[in-house]
Amino acid sequence: MRYDLNLLPIFVALMEERSVTRAAERLGMTQPALSNALSRLRAMLQDQLFIRERYGIQPTPIALELAPVIADALAKLDDAVLGQQDFDPATAERLLTIAPNGYVEFVLVPAIVARLQQVAPGIRLRLTPYGTDLAETGVVSGTTALVLGRITDPPDNLVVQHLMDEGLDCVVRTDHPEVRDTITREQFERLRHVNVMPPGRLRAGLFQALAQQHLRRDVAISVTNFFAVAEMVAVTDYCATLPKLICRRLDLDPRIKVLPAPVDLGTFPIEMAWHVRYRHDPAHRWLRTTIGEIIAEISASAARS
């Protein structure tokens, strides 16, 4: 029997999106074109495959059985084809989507973009939010090249690489009336705090570290990103507990001073994850290697300072 391989990515998109509309948007197709392709899929695989329901479509038992086989076949085909392609970052033109969490976007993405401008001007990045669910980033389905941040409970089709461990410090305004060159446990618990609540796992990590040290924190205001913290701290007597590399950036602001946390709050990991189908894609491999090199340089510079 002859198979139309062009239909298999459509099957995967429908399986992962469970919506004709979302699958069409993901593949850059019109809904009528996708519906026509689905009809051909049904004829080729001799099954209804997807049943319309109130909130989308649901796969049939045959579709569920075929899904891992088709996904694995496409991944192997990608490996075979893409692994043979040459990649020259100086001349290549690609648009790659990455999903950094708030920490990575603040600390690492500017350095990544600067490196691309220097050595790979034709490689463009599109950032998509890294929320609480890895599937929402697109990395699980493969529409996003990679996710950067703290990776917890990754599915089997993701490859995870540890990049670095990061610690925590405190920031207050330079002319704080109570805090001088150090901050004591008593001061920390007496002060009011700016709390950063980005989506994802970093929030849970900080809360857990404080709980493990039995360190209380009186939160005055919660913000959604790290960019707001400096302005909040600079005009109040509040304190904020932030990752060390972010504190290093804020330390350049004369209104802000950085102090060690009053107790050891441990570290949290920064990781990178990508879909198995991109293991051998030359452009993806080059981007991952470049990111690893940049993080190594930043970590080494931080250790020297």
Side-chain angles (χ1 to χ4, degrees):
M1 183 176 180
R2 298 179 62 184
Y3 294 101
D4 185 349
L5 296 181
N6 292 319
L7 295 176
L8 299 185
I10 294 172
F11 174 90
V12 172
L14 288 166
M15 176 63 66
E16 293 176 346
E17 299 292 345
R18 306 294 171 95
S19 164
V20 172
T21 300
R22 291 196 299 272
E25 291 175 351
R26 168 174 157 181
L27 296 168
M29 302 173 64
T30 64
Q31 286 193 48
L34 191 139
S35 295
N36 179 267
L38 177 55
S39 297
R40 288 185 285 133
L41 258 173
R42 286 167 169 161
M44 183 177 76
L45 299 177
Q46 302 178 17
D47 186 75
Q48 188 69 10
L49 297 177
F50 300 97
I51 308 298
R52 290 189 181 276
E53 295 189 351
R54 183 176 180 183
Y55 296 109
I57 56 174
Q58 290 298 322
T60 66
I62 293 294
L64 290 171
E65 184 177 347
L66 287 172
V69 178
I70 290 175
D72 183 61
L74 287 175
K76 289 179 179 177
L77 186 60
D78 283 343
D79 283 352
V81 174
L82 294 172
Q84 302 302 315
Q85 296 178 357
D86 293 329
F87 176 74
D88 181 2
T91 59
E93 294 189 4
R94 290 280 292 269
L95 172 63
L96 298 174
T97 299
I98 66 173
N101 68 5
Y103 167 86
V104 172
E105 185 170 0
F106 190 100
V107 172
L108 302 176
V109 168
I112 295 169
V113 172
R115 182 67 56 86
L116 293 181
Q117 183 183 24
Q118 293 174 353
V119 301
I123 302 295
R124 294 170 293 130
L125 293 183
R126 173 182 174 270
L127 271 58
T128 190
Y130 177 12
T132 57
D133 188 346
L134 278 174
E136 294 175 359
T137 68
V139 71
V140 176
S141 64
T143 56
T144 293
L146 54 86
V147 62
L148 291 155
R150 189 171 187 178
I151 315 297
T152 58
D153 302 321
D156 292 340
N157 66 347
L158 292 191
V159 181
V160 180
Q161 177 183 341
H162 179 269
L163 296 173
M164 60 179 284
D165 291 308
E166 174 66 301
L168 296 161
D169 280 331
C170 295
V171 294
V172 296
R173 66 185 175 97
T174 301
D175 55 350
H176 196 285
E178 183 177 351
V179 179
R180 299 293 184 259
D181 298 329
T182 60
I183 182 170
T184 66
R185 184 186 187 104
E186 292 73 21
Q187 287 173 326
F188 184 96
E189 294 188 332
R190 187 165 58 248
L191 292 174
R192 306 199 72 195
H193 290 255
V194 180
N195 180 45
V196 185
M197 294 184 64
R201 304 290 185 173
L202 181 58
R203 171 179 175 271
L206 176 56
F207 276 53
Q208 290 168 1
L210 293 170
Q212 288 170 358
Q213 292 290 343
H214 305 288
L215 193 63
R216 292 180 289 105
R217 188 173 58 149
D218 180 8
V219 175
I221 183 170
S222 292
V223 298
T224 59
N225 61 75
F226 295 109
F227 298 94
V229 176
E231 298 306 316
M232 294 288 181
V233 170
V235 297
T236 66
D237 292 336
Y238 297 162
C239 175
T241 305
L242 302 171
K244 287 180 178 290
L245 286 179
I246 290 182
C247 290
R248 186 184 181 204
R249 187 80 57 85
L250 296 182
D251 202 27
L252 301 175
D253 187 332
R255 303 172 301 166
I256 305 294
K257 61 182 175 182
V258 177
L259 305 169
V263 298
D264 182 6
L265 294 175
T267 62
F268 61 91
I270 301 299
E271 298 157 314
M272 175 167 59
W274 61 92
H275 197 286
V276 292
R277 75 176 58 153
Y278 296 130
R279 284 174 298 190
H280 304 299
D281 182 300
H284 287 245
R285 290 175 64 183
W286 178 85
L287 179 62
R288 296 194 299 265
T289 299
T290 299
I291 290 173
E293 292 171 351
I294 291 170
I295 288 178
E297 292 168 7
I298 290 175
S299 298
S301 176
R304 290 193 300 267
S305 63

